[in-house]
Amino acid sequence: MAAKFSCFSGSVHALVPHGAPRRSTDSSAPVAGVYEHIHRLTGVPVPESRRSAVDSAPTGQSRTQYAYGAPVGGVVGLRAFALQVGADEDFGRREKIRFGGIDYWWHELAFAPTGNTFSALTASIETQVTKHRAYYVEGLAKYHAYPVAEGKRLELTLLDASGRSDDAISVFMPNSHHLGALTSAVAAGTPFALFSSETFVKNTGRAALSLADDSQLLPLSG
């Protein structure tokens, strides 16, 4: 597999769909009243380049005008968040998810039935200019995963679970025993949820997601 990164460190490009996620800093606080809580995403690997941006909880009221909500625990927590947004759209418009020092509105983070289409996901990957950008994705397996890169990686193709797009997205992951068991014998249409903060564009020109370990992939019961 040959691939190139399609994104670079720097300021946010105007072409990124749905606006750019706001970077969180200790010196600037969100405008009061815009949203209620920020929920830290835990339980998934943080890219090395973003670890220094992961801040601790505020120590004084003067530092911030928002409150921290309950942490969101990995892909399981994001799935529960997605179900809550599906039941209460206002919830998704007032709560943010923080990962790697960046705060995301749900419509910036989610590419799932409660979020954007895979067409928007592809466009976001192709036009982003920051190297690490978070994505929560729900999709349906097109077929089982197969080994690539001399058997070191697995490639799983997902279809848009929302039904609003015919696009597909490739997901690359380590060819570990656990991930192999999750993906190598799945039937077409098997639903998955995942979290990715590493993206690239394949040598075929198609956008793709990358996972670092099995904490980032969750098979769904339906």
Side-chain angles (χ1 to χ4, degrees):
M1 177 186 72
K4 64 183 181 65
F5 278 99
S6 61
C7 39
F8 305 90
S9 298
S11 59
V12 176
H13 196 284
L15 292 179
V16 176
H18 314 295
R22 173 186 288 179
R23 295 181 181 275
S24 65
T25 65
D26 287 339
S27 60
S28 63
V31 177
V34 173
Y35 58 98
E36 295 181 357
H37 299 112
I38 290 177
H39 303 263
R40 286 194 183 87
L41 178 61
T42 63
V44 289
V46 179
E48 184 71 35
S49 65
R50 298 301 307 154
R51 289 177 186 170
S52 61
V54 180
D55 60 339
S56 58
T59 57
Q61 292 297 323
S62 61
R63 288 179 61 192
T64 182
Q65 296 175 334
Y66 57 82
Y68 281 98
V72 172
V75 182
V76 172
L78 288 170
R79 169 64 172 168
F81 201 96
L83 294 174
Q84 191 165 357
V85 172
D88 179 6
E89 292 184 3
D90 287 340
F91 175 78
R93 287 192 286 264
R94 67 176 184 261
E95 307 289 294
K96 281 194 170 186
I97 303 288
R98 175 171 293 184
F99 177 77
I102 300 175
D103 299 330
Y104 297 87
W105 293 108
W106 187 248
H107 76 273
E108 295 171 329
L109 181 72
F111 295 80
T114 58
N116 301 289
T117 66
F118 275 19
S119 296
L121 173 59
T122 296
S124 179
I125 294 171
E126 290 176 344
T127 59
Q128 72 186 60
V129 295
T130 54
K131 184 175 181 180
H132 296 293
R133 195 263 199 231
Y135 296 94
Y136 170 71
V137 177
E138 291 180 20
L140 306 175
K142 188 174 182 180
Y143 33 68
H144 61 79
Y146 53 88
V148 294
E150 298 181 348
K152 296 179 182 178
R153 304 279 284 172
L154 292 169
E155 180 177 358
L156 177 67
T157 302
L158 295 181
L159 301 172
D160 194 334
S162 72
R164 292 175 286 137
S165 168
D166 293 330
D167 286 2
I169 192 82
S170 291
V171 183
F172 291 88
M173 65 197 81
N175 191 0
S176 66
H177 175 75
H178 183 65
L179 286 170
L182 285 180
T183 61
S184 296
V186 300
T190 299
F192 285 93
L194 65 86
F195 174 81
S196 174
S197 58
E198 300 274 357
T199 66
F200 62 94
V201 177
K202 298 165 61 176
N203 60 347
T204 59
R206 294 185 63 86
L209 300 166
S210 182
L211 309 183
D213 61 40
D214 56 17
S215 68
Q216 296 173 264
L217 184 70
L218 176 70
L220 303 175
S221 58

